[in-house]
Amino acid sequence: MASIFSRIVAGELPAYKVAEDDQHLAFLDITPLVEGHTLVIPKREVDYIFDLPAEELAALHLFAQRVAIGVAAAVPCKRIGVAVIGLEVPHAHIHLIPMNKVSDMNFANPKIKVAEDRMKELAAAIAAQVPLAAGETSRKSASLDSKGSRETTEANEPATTEASADGATAQLQQLTQGLVFMSESDAPLEPVSYPAPSGELTDATLLKLLGEPADTKVEAKELTVFLRNHTADQGVLGDPAQANRFKALQMFMKQELQDTKVYRVGSGPQVKAYALGKTEDGKLAGFKTVLTET
């Protein structure tokens, strides 16, 4: 009888897939220890991982390495833990577990329940961050659009702020690279970083921080509302890979930054938009772009 994983490979059972090639598949564990807990399997059904021929074992670990990069980029954590248990399902598999403390890897811990929408969001975010293998130009299509080519567009010009090499800014540089916000025209997303004010971020404080006139119009919006057209399944350009990248950006800003909002500054025909949230080290970080509205 085929294992449950072989049935997933055959398409008989659904899965939240995050990466796939001709020999391997990676998908979210539906009874995870933590959010982002991912399983990596060979498509060929082999019960015991060390029964795999050396070249297949090596290929499985190289595939897992790329998936781990995607998990680490999409799910805030200190390390990606790696485990092979081999007793639950008679099909070789590797656990990749985002961890912030050693106990996150304890399989005696109660499993958590993650809502379906959140699982879809996680799968899309991880899929968007898994690097392509050497020689690949696009990923093999998978459910939840786990394919998606990496952008080769040159990096955006650094923002004229005190942008630093801190973790949040570096991650934002990666997440925004090559992304374009579509309104009546298109404009790149540029990562930005500013010193956070000591008190509340009022309109007056924000305008002073941005160097804008004190009477400039400011309108605040929720990030999910601002990006809703770009994070739709097909995205504003009909490109699932781009939509997944916007989802990854949105998830990072909501999880890693506090009080994230989008501030529309000015009035038409061109409006500046700043998506900003507070970092742990006391900065405002995010991205800026320009909206064209005639």
Side-chain angles (χ1 to χ4, degrees), residues 94 150 235 252 269 293:
I94 297 171
R150 303 290 286 180
F252 174 82
E293 300 175 339

Side-chain angles (χ1 to χ4, degrees), residues 14 22 26 33 60 64 136 144 161 177 182 200 212 237 241:
D22 291 341
L33 291 173
L60 177 64
E136 281 188 312
L144 304 178
T161 70
Q177 183 175 345
M182 299 294 297
E200 182 183 357
E212 297 285 348
L237 296 176

Side-chain angles (χ1 to χ4, degrees), residues 16-30:
Y16 299 98
K17 298 181 182 180
V18 301
E20 183 174 13
D21 64 18
D22 291 341
Q23 285 80 41
H24 312 100
L25 181 63
F27 49 91
L28 295 181
D29 193 322
I30 59 171

Side-chain angles (χ1 to χ4, degrees), residues 32-59:
L33 291 173
V34 297
E35 285 193 351
H37 182 165
T38 301
L39 301 175
V40 179
I41 68 169
K43 289 184 175 179
R44 186 169 77 87
E45 186 175 317
V46 175
D47 183 351
Y48 184 47
I49 193 169
F50 294 118
D51 283 340
L52 286 167
E55 64 275 11
E56 292 184 27
L57 182 62

